[in-house]
Amino acid sequence: MKSVTEILKYLGLITILYLISSNLTFGQSRDYNTKFGLQFNGLMGLTDFKEYENFKPGYLARAFLRMELGYAIEAELGGGYGIQQGLDFSENYYQTQLIPIDLRFLIRPFNSESFNPYLYAGIGALNYKVKDLPTSQQPDDAKGEGWTGNVPVGLGFEFGLSESLILDLSGGVTYTFTDDINYFARGAKDAYATVGLGLTFVSGSGSSDSDKDGLKKSEEKVYGTDYDNPDTDGDGIKDGDEIYVFKTDPKNSDTDKDGLTDGDELNKYKSNPLKMDSDNDGIDDKNEFEEYKTDAMLVDTDNDGLNDGEEINKFKTNPLEKDSDNDNLNDGDEIKEYKTNPIKADTDGDGLNDGDEVVKYKTNPLDIDTDGGTVSDNTEIRRGTNPKDANDDVVKVDAPMVLEGVTFASGKSDITPESAVILEQALKTLQTYGDIIVEIRGYTDNVGRKSSNIKLSQKRADSVRNWLVEKGIDGSRIRAIGFGPENPIVPNDTAENKRKNRRIEFVRVK
């Protein structure tokens, strides 16, 4: 067996020297669906007869079918016919017919277009029949024919001649489970060594997909991808999916050059790996995700009517908040409808936020003084006047204002709760304008005696004055005068008109 070890050492050394001298780069994938081939081997028996000293060559013709199992692993089913022959201890000739059938597994750690070494090992069955018997025989123990198990091991080399034809050189040893191959049994099991040359035919050349990326080798050649790497650019997407499903570049991890890998765009962010700006909002996807935290697949992340790019680059609003300035108005509405500033809660600076002006007070958020009466909207709101009516901005001298709703029971001068509500407006005016002097003028209709009506109207005017004084107004600022039925504002010809003439007027006199 020492000679077998030496043979294998020589073959291994030849392989190493060849690889170094060729300076080959390995890592290509398998290039076939199936292979079938024919080999012719020179054969030397390894038996008790020391046949290597008086070598008489035999042969083994063999056919095989190879199939790919996975990366770098193949299965081979083969069978053959051969003759083992040699000289016995008496230098007499013997010959044995061999019919081996075996299943082998090939390991190909390296792989290139033109040259591939491989190791093989397997198990099978061997039919043998000794045709010419040696003279150094042991008839009591030896058998001349039968079936036995066998274990082939060895190494080989494939040289690509074309895409469909390979030259195969191999060498190895087949160990058997019998000592009867040479019809001489002495305890050690027989074996035989082979060195063979063959041709392998490739079926489906270029159609294999050993890296399971969805691309055949012929396609990988076209696209320039790595035969043995299912994800050439390392972006987390198989090459086949990049080409046929997502239309991305399998050799470029960031097809659209937006700073995000295609895998992250598809699997993590759900953005379009073919467009730097998936939603066409004016912002690159990477900036949307990493800087602004917006959604690269939504033009308007916060759904405020403005696209994210406009918010960031043009309006400086927050693309994640509908109401950037917290004034209760949507950013889009402020810009498109109200023309207000979406990052300033009080656009006109009148002390009222834009939302309150638009929704609550119905004033103009772009104008400090909506009614143009010289008093700001905020001031009017605070003092209780109407910010949309310029007439109440300043109390004019000698311009009577009827306090509508200030009523009295017939023949009475007591302030009713209903009247007190109306008088609050007069009170607020006096509080707001602390330097004015007013007259409270009382009037009646024409029913009854004039003198009586004058006295009644005076009492009613005094009641209003007293109410205001009790609320904190300086009495020197208020004069109360009763005019009775004088100065009717409508004819006293109907009950309704008479009611209107029974009134209290608020008049600024200074």
Side-chain angles (χ1 to χ4, degrees):
M1 299 305 292
K2 179 179 178 182
S3 60
V4 176
T5 304
E6 290 176 350
I7 291 171
L8 293 176
K9 284 183 179 178
Y10 288 135
L11 289 174
L13 180 61
I14 291 171
T15 302
I16 295 172
L17 291 175
Y18 185 90
L19 295 178
I20 294 174
S21 63
S22 300
N23 192 28
L24 293 173
T25 300
F26 301 104
Q28 308 286 337
S29 70
R30 258 57 53 198
D31 188 19
Y32 70 97
N33 286 334
T34 57
K35 294 178 182 177
F36 60 94
L38 298 172
Q39 289 179 333
F40 185 82
N41 296 269
L43 184 150
M44 180 180 72
L46 302 174
T47 70
D48 308 282
F49 292 149
K50 299 183 180 179
E51 295 171 80
Y52 55 87
E53 294 180 355
N54 296 291
F55 178 59
K56 189 172 183 62
Y59 69 88
L60 176 66
R62 187 170 178 273
F64 61 84
L65 176 69
R66 291 179 186 170
M67 293 173 290
E68 195 175 26
L69 295 182
Y71 179 76
I73 301 177
E74 299 173 348
E76 176 184 296
L77 181 64
Y81 176 87
I83 297 294
Q84 177 176 321
Q85 57 190 1
L87 300 175
D88 63 11
F89 292 123
S90 302
E91 296 191 358
N92 293 312
Y93 175 82
Y94 84 92
Q95 184 181 83
T96 303
Q97 172 187 286
L98 303 176
I99 301 177
I101 301 172
D102 54 55
L103 175 65
R104 300 181 182 184
F105 296 93
L106 284 68
I107 307 296
R108 304 201 303 175
F110 310 115
N111 214 329
S112 75
E113 294 280 344
S114 58
F115 172 76
N116 290 301
Y118 62 86
L119 300 172
Y120 70 84
I123 190 168
L126 174 67
N127 179 263
Y128 65 94
K129 182 176 183 180
V130 182
K131 292 188 171 184
D132 294 324
L133 301 178
T135 58
S136 302
Q137 59 179 298
Q138 296 177 329
D140 293 338
D141 302 319
K143 297 178 181 178
E145 62 182 295
W147 284 91
T148 186
N150 69 337
V151 176
V153 295
L155 57 84
F157 308 90
E158 289 183 332
F159 301 88
L161 302 180
S162 70
E163 285 202 359
S164 59
L165 185 63
I166 297 172
L167 178 67
D168 186 278
L169 174 65
S170 64
V173 176
T174 298
Y175 297 93
T176 73
F177 297 166
T178 183
D179 191 24
D180 295 320
I181 298 297
N182 60 350
Y183 202 61
F184 184 88
R186 186 175 284 181
K189 305 301 182 184
D190 292 335
Y192 57 85
T194 57
V195 175
L197 186 67
L199 290 176
T200 303
F201 302 91
V202 180
S203 172
S205 177
S207 64
S208 68
D209 179 15
S210 63
D211 60 3
K212 310 302 179 186
D213 64 356
L215 294 177
K216 300 174 183 176
K217 182 178 179 182
S218 57
E219 293 174 304
E220 301 230 35
K221 285 182 179 180
V222 172
Y223 296 118
T225 49
D226 189 337
Y227 307 146
D228 282 329
N229 186 351
D231 180 11
T232 299
D233 56 12
D235 62 0
I237 312 171
K238 288 184 178 181
D239 294 340
D241 288 341
E242 292 219 55
I243 290 172
Y244 292 120
V245 179
F246 305 116
K247 313 302 181 185
T248 48
D249 185 347
K251 297 187 294 180
N252 186 346
S253 62
D254 180 11
T255 300
D256 57 8
K257 295 180 173 59
D258 63 357
L260 301 173
T261 68
D262 297 340
D264 282 347
E265 292 217 55
L266 290 168
N267 301 318
K268 182 178 179 181
Y269 301 119
K270 311 301 181 186
S271 52
N272 187 341
L274 298 175
K275 295 179 65 177
M276 294 181 71
D277 178 10
S278 295
D279 54 11
N280 296 314
D281 63 358
I283 312 172
D284 289 353
D285 293 343
K286 182 177 182 181
N287 289 334
E288 290 222 51
F289 289 123
E290 297 183 358
E291 183 175 353
Y292 304 118
K293 313 303 181 185
T294 48
D295 189 333
M297 292 301 288
L298 287 178
V299 174
D300 179 10
T301 299
D302 57 9
N303 195 32
D304 63 357
L306 302 174
N307 79 47
D308 296 338
E310 289 179 324
E311 294 216 56
I312 291 168
N313 300 317
K314 184 176 181 181
F315 303 119
K316 312 304 180 185
T317 48
N318 185 346
L320 300 174
E321 292 286 345
K322 288 185 177 182
D323 181 9
S324 296
D325 56 8
N326 295 312
D327 63 357
N328 297 317
L329 290 180
N330 180 300
D331 291 343
D333 290 342
E334 290 215 59
I335 289 171
K336 297 177 180 179
E337 183 175 351
Y338 306 118
K339 314 303 180 185
T340 48
N341 188 338
I343 55 174
K344 184 178 179 182
D346 179 12
T347 300
D348 58 10
D350 63 358
L352 300 173
N353 77 47
D354 297 338
D356 284 346
E357 292 217 57
V358 170
V359 177
K360 185 176 180 180
Y361 303 120
K362 313 299 182 185
T363 50
N364 186 348
L366 300 174
D367 192 340
I368 293 176
D369 181 13
T370 298
D371 59 15
T374 72
V375 178
S376 73
D377 294 340
N378 188 25
T379 299
E380 293 214 60
I381 296 297
R382 284 189 290 106
R383 77 184 188 189
T385 53
N386 187 346
K388 296 189 291 180
D389 183 1
N391 291 323
D392 64 1
D393 283 18
V394 178
V395 181
K396 299 177 182 178
V397 176
D398 295 329
M401 290 186 294
V402 177
L403 299 181
E404 295 284 353
V406 177
T407 59
F408 299 90
S410 179
K412 302 290 185 180
S413 59
D414 298 329
I415 300 297
T416 64
E418 294 80 7
S419 298
V421 174
I422 303 302
L423 290 176
E424 289 287 349
Q425 183 175 350
L427 173 63
K428 187 174 286 290
T429 300
L430 289 168
Q431 291 171 333
T432 301
Y433 302 99
D435 59 344
I436 67 172
I437 296 175
V438 300
E439 280 185 357
I440 304 299
R441 298 175 180 176
Y443 292 93
T444 66
D445 57 25
N446 62 354
V447 177
R449 290 183 300 173
K450 181 177 181 180
S451 60
S452 297
N453 284 336
I454 289 175
K455 289 178 181 179
L456 179 58
S457 63
Q458 182 64 51
K459 287 181 180 181
R460 289 176 174 173
D462 287 339
S463 293
V464 172
R465 178 183 181 278
N466 292 337
W467 187 92
L468 293 170
V469 170
E470 289 174 0
K471 296 297 182 180
I473 302 301
D474 186 349
S476 64
R477 297 174 56 200
I478 308 171
R479 294 200 297 262
I481 302 175
F483 289 90
E486 295 182 11
N487 306 319
I489 56 176
V490 293
N492 286 295
D493 53 2
T494 65
E496 176 61 21
N497 283 349
K498 290 177 181 180
R499 184 194 65 77
K500 291 180 180 179
N501 286 328
R502 297 192 299 268
R503 66 193 184 279
I504 292 291
E505 289 183 349
F506 185 91
V507 185
R508 179 182 176 183
V509 295
K510 183 178 179 182

